[in-house]
Amino acid sequence: MNVYALRAIYRFEMDRMRRTLLQSLVTPVITTSLYFVVFGSAIGGRMAEIDGVPYAAYIVPGLVMLSLLTESIFNASFGIYMPKFTGTVYEILSAPISPFEIILGYVGAAATKSLILGLVILATARLFVPFEILHPLAMIGFLVLTAVAFCLLGFAIGVWADGFEKMQIIPMMIVMPLTFLGGSFYSIKMLPAFWQQVSLFNPVVYLVNGFRWSFYGQADVGIGASLGMIAAFIAICIAIIWWMFRTGYKLKN
Amino acid sequence: MLAPPQPAPILSIRGLTKTYASGFQALKGVDLDIRKGEIFALLGPNGAGKTTLISAVCGIVTATSGTVTVAGYDNVADYRRTRAMIGLVPQELSTNAFEPVISTIRFSRGLFGKPPNPAHVEKVLRTLSLWDKRNSRIMELSGGMKRRVLIAKALSHEPDILFLDEPTAGVDVELRRDMWEMVRALRETGVTIILTTHYIEEAEEMADRIGVIDKGELILVEEKKTLMAKLGRKQLVLHLREPLAAVPDALAGQPLELAQDGHDLIYTFDAQAEETGIPALLKRLADLGIDFKDLQTRQSSLEDIFVSLVRPRS
Ligand SMILES: Nc1ncnc2c1ncn2[C@@H]1O[C@H](COP(=O)(O)OP(=O)(O)OP(=O)(O)O)[C@@H](O)[C@H]1O
Ligand SMILES: [Mg+2]
């Protein structure tokens, strides 16, 4: 294990994030606040409770997830895309480090940032709605696993992308719809039977519900299924990235 | 005389080929041994495969076939060991614009698995006259300074082998001299240096050995001295008083030609030979009444050699 290299990459990435900390925290905080104003206060007042949870509180876990997914993909993909774009990736590729250490450094740093962001959003939400967290440890656990899973996805996108449009396309075309249809703002039990079935194929449903369970102790899907889904997601991402490094895909042409 | 035993090469390349994803074959089976402590210059026209060769050794591109060993270790199986020994200064000025100079150097050192060593980092920055700029962000530096930052990065982890891919491209004359000095000083400390260049005078000035690569093939590897002597032809140029229309019949068969509308008579000879034939020629000219006002001799440079090697192939 090349610990010095791991530390160097992690530090480099954290420094890069520190330089842009303000804008990367301010944007999601403002967005989340707006969601609360619109959904929590304006619409939420007219909504009944869901599963005995007031609507404004019900959407908190989903909103945190929403930002977590987008920011994780964004941060992790940029972390590896930028060195490719500027050419500095030559140094990473010629260094005595394994793919595992590279991934650990980049994804670890991106996930750290996502985690901080998730907690900041949670704190912001607390200003708008009083809510309690039933299983705080499980909540942190879900936060970490989700951050890691989507940072891995982001990393793979960053390796794959050879232009800025490609960096946007997966988050815009796939992740956004899945997130909005992922039960962040509603219980999938409120959907017609057919769409309930369809929703069960959406991984985001499992993430949001697992997370929500850690807050309120109830969810549309089983907690085991939720954990299994995250584990599968992480495994698939790791396999893809592993394959990319093995074949030198888009890195070593 | 018996040749002294050759020590094992520090870098050994065997049958190296590289076909890019586009299907283009940039290396067509390169064999090359680099000796410990030498300065090796790799010459070749644009697109010859110099950068590809370096990239394959350093692990930036995956070779299609062939092997590379560094100090006896395979660069794929033992990549941690081999890469830690190599420092690379790339051709492109790829830098992190927003990073301060000193942190980018520390980063490189860590990346190559070395514990922090502020004294070494300072030494490297001072040698490259970057110490005063250590807290500047890289985007605030000039091109020549950026080039030196890249060199500092490569030296930060105390490599045994240093690759310099066109280190003096776009660098002014004074800085180029400084860089040559630095390379020589490095060699004094035992570092093996492999550089690519388009400036023949650079190879002529610096290198112990020279390799010429063209279209993915290494067409020549030779001691610089041998190369210059072997291929180095000398010429005697006589500036005539009266121009000649043609080389006189009496001198036919001699390696003579006319230039400058018959004002110059050029005699080509082998500088290594016992007999240059010059005294005899001068005597013949005097006999024929061909008078000259001045004369000069010149030796063909590496440039001439290089051109004569590569041109017939294109
Ligand atoms: N990523 C790539 N994909 C396809 N072809 C490539 C790639 N990189 C280089 N080549 C081709 O391989 C050949 C050798 O390129 P290389 O960069 O090794 O040349 P070079 O000798 O370093 O040239 P120069 O003196 O211009 O730097 C060129 O014809 C180039 O077009
Ligand atoms: Mg090149």
Side-chain angles (χ1 to χ4, degrees):
Chain A
M1 191 74 154
N2 185 345
V3 182
Y4 294 113
L6 193 56
R7 198 188 293 169
I9 295 177
Y10 188 84
R11 273 219 191 117
F12 177 86
E13 282 297 288
M14 293 311 284
D15 282 349
R16 185 175 69 84
M17 289 166 185
R18 206 165 293 134
R19 284 196 293 266
T20 56
L21 191 65
L22 209 62
Q23 74 217 51
S24 51
L25 281 185
V26 165
T27 319
V29 165
I30 291 180
T31 321
T32 316
S33 304
L34 288 175
Y35 273 118
F36 274 111
V37 172
V38 175
F39 285 97
S41 312
I43 299 175
R46 285 149 216 242
M47 297 278 288
E49 296 185 341
I50 302 179
D51 293 338
V53 180
Y55 186 69
Y58 185 85
I59 62 173
V60 169
L63 277 180
V64 174
M65 278 288 159
L66 201 64
S67 289
L68 198 69
L69 300 195
T70 9
E71 289 294 312
S72 291
I73 293 180
F74 181 77
N75 288 328
S77 59
F78 255 81
I80 189 67
Y81 178 77
M82 282 317 279
K84 282 197 336 174
F85 182 70
T86 60
T88 54
V89 74
Y90 83 86
E91 207 179 11
I92 306 287
L93 296 178
S94 65
I97 43 177
S98 66
F100 179 69
E101 288 152 2
I102 298 178
I103 297 166
L104 209 58
Y106 279 102
V107 172
T112 307
K113 190 190 177 191
S114 298
L115 206 60
I116 296 171
L117 181 89
L119 293 174
V120 168
I121 293 177
L122 214 51
T124 313
R126 196 70 182 72
L127 299 176
F128 289 87
V129 228
F131 60 84
E132 258 129 67
I133 300 167
L134 214 54
H135 310 288
L137 280 182
M139 190 278 284
I140 295 288
F142 268 107
L143 216 50
V144 171
L145 286 176
T146 311
V148 168
F150 280 79
C151 286
L152 283 169
L153 176 64
F155 187 86
I157 292 173
V159 172
W160 164 77
D162 41 25
F164 280 101
E165 316 84 69
K166 279 197 178 172
M167 294 276 285
Q168 304 287 355
I169 202 157
I170 292 186
M172 291 296 287
M173 304 292 286
I174 301 173
V175 181
M176 273 295 264
L178 286 184
T179 315
F180 272 94
L181 303 174
S184 301
F185 301 110
Y186 56 89
S187 164
I188 59 167
K189 286 186 217 138
M190 295 156 77
L191 297 172
F194 173 74
W195 289 108
Q196 276 189 41
Q197 286 304 313
V198 172
S199 295
L200 292 179
F201 290 98
N202 179 354
V204 178
V205 168
Y206 295 84
L207 297 179
V208 168
N209 275 284
F211 198 47
R212 190 177 287 137
W213 169 86
S214 70
F215 280 68
Y216 308 123
Q218 49 204 341
D220 298 341
V221 296
I223 181 79
S226 199
L227 282 172
M229 194 54 121
I230 299 184
F233 195 95
I234 291 180
I236 292 171
C237 289
I238 288 179
I240 293 174
I241 297 173
W242 193 250
W243 172 82
M244 284 174 160
F245 274 98
R246 270 201 75 96
T247 57
Y249 174 83
K250 300 240 180 162
L251 283 170
K252 308 189 176 194
N253 35 83
Chain B
M1 201 181 81
L2 243 126
Q6 283 289 328
I10 190 159
L11 171 66
S12 185
I13 300 170
R14 287 287 168 274
L16 194 67
T17 70
K18 172 63 188 177
T19 306
Y20 279 108
S22 61
F24 182 83
Q25 191 175 18
L27 293 176
K28 302 170 183 160
V30 171
D31 295 297
L32 177 63
D33 281 336
I34 301 294
R35 299 171 196 154
K36 187 168 166 33
E38 75 173 331
I39 299 181
F40 186 90
L42 193 58
L43 295 174
N46 285 133
K50 302 181 291 296
T51 302
T52 305
L53 180 63
I54 292 177
S55 303
V57 172
C58 295
I60 294 166
V61 305
T62 329
T64 308
S65 68
T67 57
V68 175
T69 56
V70 182
Y73 298 106
D74 185 86
N75 85 328
V76 178
D78 273 317
Y79 71 95
R80 280 188 201 267
R81 228 191 278 251
T82 63
R83 292 185 192 177
M85 284 188 268
I86 297 177
L88 166 65
V89 181
Q91 182 173 3
E92 305 291 336
L93 283 178
S94 319
T95 52
N96 291 301
F98 299 101
E99 278 280 283
V101 170
I102 194 153
S103 36
T104 195
I105 309 299
R106 288 192 194 122
F107 171 80
S108 300
R109 188 174 166 86
L111 200 59
F112 280 75
K114 290 276 167 38
N117 181 345
H120 179 73
V121 170
E122 178 172 346
K123 195 184 96 195
V124 168
L125 287 176
R126 284 195 188 280
T127 324
L128 290 156
S129 320
L130 284 170
W131 183 244
D132 294 338
K133 293 279 178 189
R134 63 188 179 279
N135 293 318
S136 306
R137 292 194 290 176
I138 293 176
M139 60 191 218
E140 296 160 13
L141 303 181
S142 75
M145 290 175 188
K146 283 184 191 148
R147 175 78 61 193
R148 279 180 282 160
V149 168
L150 292 181
I151 298 177
K153 279 164 85 70
L155 293 178
S156 67
H157 59 93
E158 301 157 67
D160 299 311
I161 303 175
L162 182 65
F163 281 99
L164 295 160
D165 200 353
E166 294 186 33
T168 52
V171 159
D172 68 33
V173 180
E174 197 183 340
L175 190 55
R176 196 182 301 173
R177 298 254 157 225
D178 288 353
M179 228 171 248
W180 292 353
E181 275 316 306
M182 187 208 71
V183 169
R184 281 198 197 94
L186 268 176
R187 195 255 296 269
E188 291 306 307
T189 68
V191 179
T192 307
I193 292 146
I194 297 146
L195 58 91
T196 73
T197 179
H198 286 284
Y199 301 109
I200 313 260
E201 77 263 22
E202 193 157 271
E204 216 165 328
E205 167 95 22
M206 307 273 304
D208 301 311
R209 285 199 307 153
I210 288 171
V212 177
I213 187 170
D214 186 34
K215 299 190 170 67
E217 285 174 89
L218 205 54
I219 53 180
L220 173 134
V221 176
E222 194 83 77
E223 297 284 341
K224 180 182 71 188
K225 288 199 192 89
T226 327
L227 182 64
M228 306 271 304
K230 194 151 80 180
L231 293 167
R233 306 218 142 244
K234 257 190 152 174
Q235 289 185 324
L236 171 71
V237 183
L238 301 165
H239 304 293
L240 305 178
R241 273 197 198 287
E242 300 295 331
L244 288 174
V247 176
D249 287 343
L251 294 171
Q254 296 255 37
L256 284 170
E257 56 192 313
L258 284 169
Q260 306 286 343
D261 290 333
H263 280 94
D264 285 357
L265 186 63
I266 301 173
Y267 175 65
T268 306
F269 61 98
D270 186 352
Q272 305 301 111
E274 288 282 308
E275 285 291 329
T276 58
I278 292 174
L281 173 72
L282 294 184
K283 197 163 173 302
R284 290 286 290 138
L285 290 176
D287 292 347
L288 291 166
I290 299 172
D291 201 6
F292 54 92
K293 49 187 178 194
D294 194 8
L295 84 175
Q296 95 198 71
T297 64
R298 61 182 184 209
Q299 182 151 26
S300 57
S301 65
L302 256 181
E303 178 126 27
D304 304 326
I305 298 171
F306 180 68
V307 169
S308 71
L309 271 172
V310 172
R311 187 167 293 157
R313 295 167 49 86
S314 55

